[in-house]
Amino acid sequence: MALDRWIALIFVAFCCIYGYAAFFTMDQLLPPFMQRNPVWPSTFPKILAVLGGIVGLIVLLGVEKSGKDAGPSATDINYRNLGEYKVGQALLLLAFMVAYALLLRPAGFLLATTAFLVAGSTVLGERKFHIMIPVAVLATGFVWYLVQEVLGIFLRPFPFFMGT
């Protein structure tokens, strides 16, 4: 089986586990007044699980390649040539995501998110810091404002030692 199908198989398994959690475990703890609502907190995870499973099955079964010839194309993942792919960039981005998740509370949303956006775009090859930093700051501030002020969800904006 080709590498893209193995990845699709893992993705389908993840979607099944996520879907099980969304359909059977998330709704049990809802208070009675929320159980009569048409949209529950698990509605979006349910949609994601179903759509992810469908997309994963399409790749797993090879439906997207049904109209093409049976040979490999230039866009197929070839596990024999993994050295040619930018695996280092992908692993570094994953490390930045983990660092972002760990620093989100102590560093605050504004600093952690801005640093993650700048570092991530630098890893991906952007070198125009005079554009990248203001865009990261504006995007972070806009998202924080939407979450904090519009949605009313508290999101610590500054590091813990500055107090909020």
Side-chain angles (χ1 to χ4, degrees):
M1 188 159 59
L3 184 60
D4 58 342
R5 294 203 178 165
W6 279 107
I7 293 170
L9 180 65
I10 294 168
F11 185 71
V12 168
F14 174 77
C15 287
C16 288
I17 294 167
Y18 187 66
Y20 177 81
F23 278 96
F24 298 109
T25 63
M26 289 179 74
D27 297 334
Q28 293 174 354
L29 302 175
L30 284 176
F33 71 91
M34 286 188 72
Q35 291 179 354
R36 291 186 289 270
N37 289 343
V39 177
W40 291 1
S42 65
T43 301
F44 190 62
K46 288 175 184 176
I47 294 170
L48 280 178
V50 170
L51 290 178
I54 290 170
V55 169
L57 285 174
I58 287 172
V59 174
L60 184 63
L61 299 175
V63 175
E64 86 282 2
K65 297 179 184 178
S66 62
K68 301 177 185 175
D69 59 345
S73 73
T75 59
D76 286 343
I77 298 173
N78 186 352
Y79 68 90
R80 292 181 186 95
N81 298 330
L82 277 180
E84 295 177 13
Y85 300 119
K86 297 184 179 184
V87 178
Q89 273 185 337
L91 293 176
L92 192 56
L93 278 175
L94 287 173
F96 282 159
M97 288 179 201
V98 171
Y100 172 68
L102 294 174
L103 291 174
L104 193 56
R105 282 196 178 193
F109 180 80
L110 296 175
L111 180 65
T113 305
T114 302
F116 172 71
L117 289 176
V118 170
S121 57
T122 302
V123 166
L124 292 175
E126 182 59 50
R127 297 294 182 253
K128 297 179 182 175
F129 290 102
H130 65 281
I131 296 173
M132 182 173 44
I133 292 172
V135 167
V137 169
L138 286 172
T140 301
F142 182 70
V143 169
W144 176 81
Y145 177 78
L146 284 177
V147 171
Q148 176 79 23
E149 302 300 326
V150 176
L151 295 176
I153 301 170
F154 176 72
L155 198 55
R156 181 186 309 269
F158 302 112
F160 67 94
F161 58 84
M162 293 179 78
T164 51

